[in-house]
Short mmCIF file of all heavy atoms in Angstrom, two decimals:
data_model
loop_
_atom_site.label_atom_id
_atom_site.label_comp_id
_atom_site.label_asym_id
_atom_site.label_seq_id
_atom_site.Cartn_x
_atom_site.Cartn_y
_atom_site.Cartn_z
N VAL B 254 73.23 -18.04 6.85
CA VAL B 254 74.12 -17.79 7.97
C VAL B 254 74.88 -19.05 8.30
O VAL B 254 74.35 -20.14 8.38
CB VAL B 254 73.28 -17.35 9.23
CG1 VAL B 254 74.22 -17.10 10.38
CG2 VAL B 254 72.45 -16.11 8.90
N LYS B 255 76.23 -18.88 8.50
CA LYS B 255 77.03 -19.96 9.02
C LYS B 255 77.77 -19.38 10.23
O LYS B 255 78.08 -18.18 10.28
CB LYS B 255 78.07 -20.37 8.03
CG LYS B 255 77.44 -21.14 6.81
CD LYS B 255 78.43 -21.26 5.66
CE LYS B 255 77.73 -21.87 4.44
NZ LYS B 255 78.37 -21.40 3.15
N ASP B 256 78.04 -20.22 11.20
CA ASP B 256 78.62 -19.82 12.45
C ASP B 256 79.88 -18.92 12.23
O ASP B 256 80.08 -17.94 12.88
CB ASP B 256 79.00 -20.96 13.35
CG ASP B 256 77.77 -21.61 13.94
OD1 ASP B 256 76.67 -21.01 13.92
OD2 ASP B 256 77.86 -22.73 14.47
N SER B 257 80.67 -19.37 11.28
CA SER B 257 82.00 -18.74 11.08
C SER B 257 81.86 -17.31 10.43
O SER B 257 82.80 -16.55 10.34
CB SER B 257 82.91 -19.57 10.19
OG SER B 257 82.27 -19.68 8.93
N LEU B 258 80.65 -16.97 10.07
CA LEU B 258 80.32 -15.68 9.42
C LEU B 258 79.72 -14.70 10.36
O LEU B 258 79.35 -13.61 9.95
CB LEU B 258 79.50 -15.87 8.14
CG LEU B 258 80.07 -16.84 7.10
CD1 LEU B 258 79.08 -17.02 5.96
CD2 LEU B 258 81.42 -16.33 6.62
N ILE B 259 79.59 -15.03 11.59
CA ILE B 259 78.96 -14.17 12.55
C ILE B 259 79.99 -13.25 13.24
O ILE B 259 81.09 -13.74 13.64
CB ILE B 259 78.17 -14.94 13.65
CG1 ILE B 259 77.07 -15.79 12.95
CG2 ILE B 259 77.58 -13.98 14.69
CD1 ILE B 259 76.44 -16.78 13.89
N VAL B 260 79.75 -11.93 13.23
CA VAL B 260 80.75 -10.96 13.75
C VAL B 260 80.14 -10.10 14.86
O VAL B 260 78.89 -10.08 14.96
CB VAL B 260 81.24 -10.09 12.59
CG1 VAL B 260 82.04 -10.95 11.59
CG2 VAL B 260 80.12 -9.30 11.95
N ASP B 261 81.01 -9.44 15.61
CA ASP B 261 80.56 -8.67 16.74
C ASP B 261 80.84 -7.17 16.43
O ASP B 261 81.97 -6.79 16.18
CB ASP B 261 81.30 -9.05 18.01
CG ASP B 261 80.88 -10.46 18.43
OD1 ASP B 261 79.74 -10.55 18.94
OD2 ASP B 261 81.63 -11.39 18.20
N PHE B 262 79.87 -6.32 16.58
CA PHE B 262 79.99 -4.88 16.49
C PHE B 262 80.21 -4.43 17.96
O PHE B 262 79.36 -4.71 18.86
CB PHE B 262 78.81 -4.20 15.93
CG PHE B 262 78.65 -4.51 14.47
CD1 PHE B 262 78.12 -5.74 14.00
CD2 PHE B 262 78.99 -3.55 13.51
CE1 PHE B 262 78.01 -6.05 12.65
CE2 PHE B 262 78.85 -3.82 12.14
CZ PHE B 262 78.36 -5.06 11.71
N VAL B 263 81.38 -3.78 18.25
CA VAL B 263 81.74 -3.38 19.64
C VAL B 263 81.77 -1.86 19.71
O VAL B 263 82.01 -1.18 18.72
CB VAL B 263 83.01 -4.02 20.07
CG1 VAL B 263 82.91 -5.56 20.10
CG2 VAL B 263 84.20 -3.57 19.20
N PRO B 264 81.59 -1.33 20.89
CA PRO B 264 81.66 0.13 21.06
C PRO B 264 83.02 0.66 20.70
O PRO B 264 84.05 -0.03 20.98
CB PRO B 264 81.38 0.36 22.56
CG PRO B 264 80.70 -0.89 23.00
CD PRO B 264 81.21 -1.94 22.16
N ARG B 265 83.10 1.88 20.06
CA ARG B 265 84.37 2.46 19.74
C ARG B 265 84.44 3.84 20.50
O ARG B 265 83.48 4.62 20.46
CB ARG B 265 84.40 2.68 18.22
CG ARG B 265 85.61 3.42 17.73
CD ARG B 265 85.72 3.27 16.19
NE ARG B 265 86.77 4.07 15.57
CZ ARG B 265 88.03 3.66 15.46
NH1 ARG B 265 88.37 2.43 15.93
NH2 ARG B 265 88.91 4.42 14.93
N GLU B 266 85.61 4.08 21.13
CA GLU B 266 85.71 5.26 21.91
C GLU B 266 86.42 6.32 21.11
O GLU B 266 87.26 6.03 20.24
CB GLU B 266 86.60 4.95 23.16
CG GLU B 266 86.16 3.72 24.01
CD GLU B 266 84.90 4.05 24.78
OE1 GLU B 266 84.70 5.24 25.11
OE2 GLU B 266 84.09 3.16 25.05
N ASN B 267 86.10 7.59 21.36
CA ASN B 267 86.87 8.70 20.92
C ASN B 267 87.02 8.78 19.41
O ASN B 267 88.03 9.21 18.87
CB ASN B 267 88.32 8.71 21.53
CG ASN B 267 88.26 8.63 23.01
OD1 ASN B 267 87.46 9.34 23.64
ND2 ASN B 267 89.08 7.78 23.64
N ASP B 268 86.00 8.38 18.73
CA ASP B 268 85.99 8.56 17.25
C ASP B 268 84.73 9.38 16.88
O ASP B 268 83.62 8.81 17.02
CB ASP B 268 86.00 7.23 16.47
CG ASP B 268 86.13 7.41 15.00
OD1 ASP B 268 85.89 8.53 14.52
OD2 ASP B 268 86.52 6.40 14.32
N PRO B 269 84.86 10.61 16.55
CA PRO B 269 83.67 11.40 16.22
C PRO B 269 82.87 10.86 15.02
O PRO B 269 81.70 11.14 14.86
CB PRO B 269 84.20 12.82 15.85
CG PRO B 269 85.65 12.60 15.62
CD PRO B 269 86.09 11.39 16.31
N GLN B 270 83.49 10.02 14.18
CA GLN B 270 82.86 9.51 13.04
C GLN B 270 82.06 8.22 13.24
O GLN B 270 81.25 7.85 12.42
CB GLN B 270 83.89 9.22 11.87
CG GLN B 270 84.36 10.49 11.17
CD GLN B 270 85.11 10.19 9.89
OE1 GLN B 270 86.28 10.14 9.96
NE2 GLN B 270 84.41 9.87 8.88
N ALA B 271 82.31 7.49 14.34
CA ALA B 271 81.67 6.22 14.49
C ALA B 271 81.59 5.83 15.97
O ALA B 271 82.57 5.97 16.73
CB ALA B 271 82.45 5.14 13.72
N GLY B 272 80.44 5.32 16.41
CA GLY B 272 80.29 4.82 17.75
C GLY B 272 80.51 3.29 17.91
O GLY B 272 80.48 2.74 18.94
N LEU B 273 80.70 2.61 16.67
CA LEU B 273 80.90 1.19 16.77
C LEU B 273 82.11 0.83 15.91
O LEU B 273 82.57 1.57 15.06
CB LEU B 273 79.67 0.48 16.14
CG LEU B 273 78.37 0.49 16.91
CD1 LEU B 273 77.22 -0.04 16.14
CD2 LEU B 273 78.51 -0.26 18.23
N GLU B 274 82.62 -0.42 16.17
CA GLU B 274 83.84 -0.88 15.50
C GLU B 274 83.58 -2.32 15.13
O GLU B 274 83.00 -3.07 15.92
CB GLU B 274 85.04 -0.72 16.37
CG GLU B 274 86.30 -1.24 15.84
CD GLU B 274 87.49 -0.88 16.67
OE1 GLU B 274 87.45 0.16 17.41
OE2 GLU B 274 88.53 -1.57 16.64
N LEU B 275 84.09 -2.73 13.99
CA LEU B 275 83.97 -4.13 13.55
C LEU B 275 85.34 -4.50 12.98
O LEU B 275 85.82 -3.87 12.02
CB LEU B 275 82.89 -4.31 12.46
CG LEU B 275 82.89 -5.64 11.75
CD1 LEU B 275 82.63 -6.76 12.79
CD2 LEU B 275 81.88 -5.66 10.63
N LYS B 276 85.96 -5.51 13.54
CA LYS B 276 87.23 -6.06 13.05
C LYS B 276 86.95 -7.35 12.35
O LYS B 276 86.33 -8.27 12.94
CB LYS B 276 88.18 -6.30 14.20
CG LYS B 276 89.58 -6.79 13.79
CD LYS B 276 90.52 -6.70 14.96
CE LYS B 276 91.96 -6.95 14.58
NZ LYS B 276 92.13 -8.33 13.96
#
Side-chain angles (χ1 to χ4, degrees):
Chain B
V254 180
K255 291 168 187 151
D256 287 347
S257 63
L258 301 176
I259 298 171
V260 295
D261 293 285
F262 292 77
V263 298
R265 178 169 172 85
E266 309 285 334
N267 304 319
D268 185 341
Q270 282 192 264
L273 292 172
E274 178 171 334
L275 170 63
K276 183 170 189 298

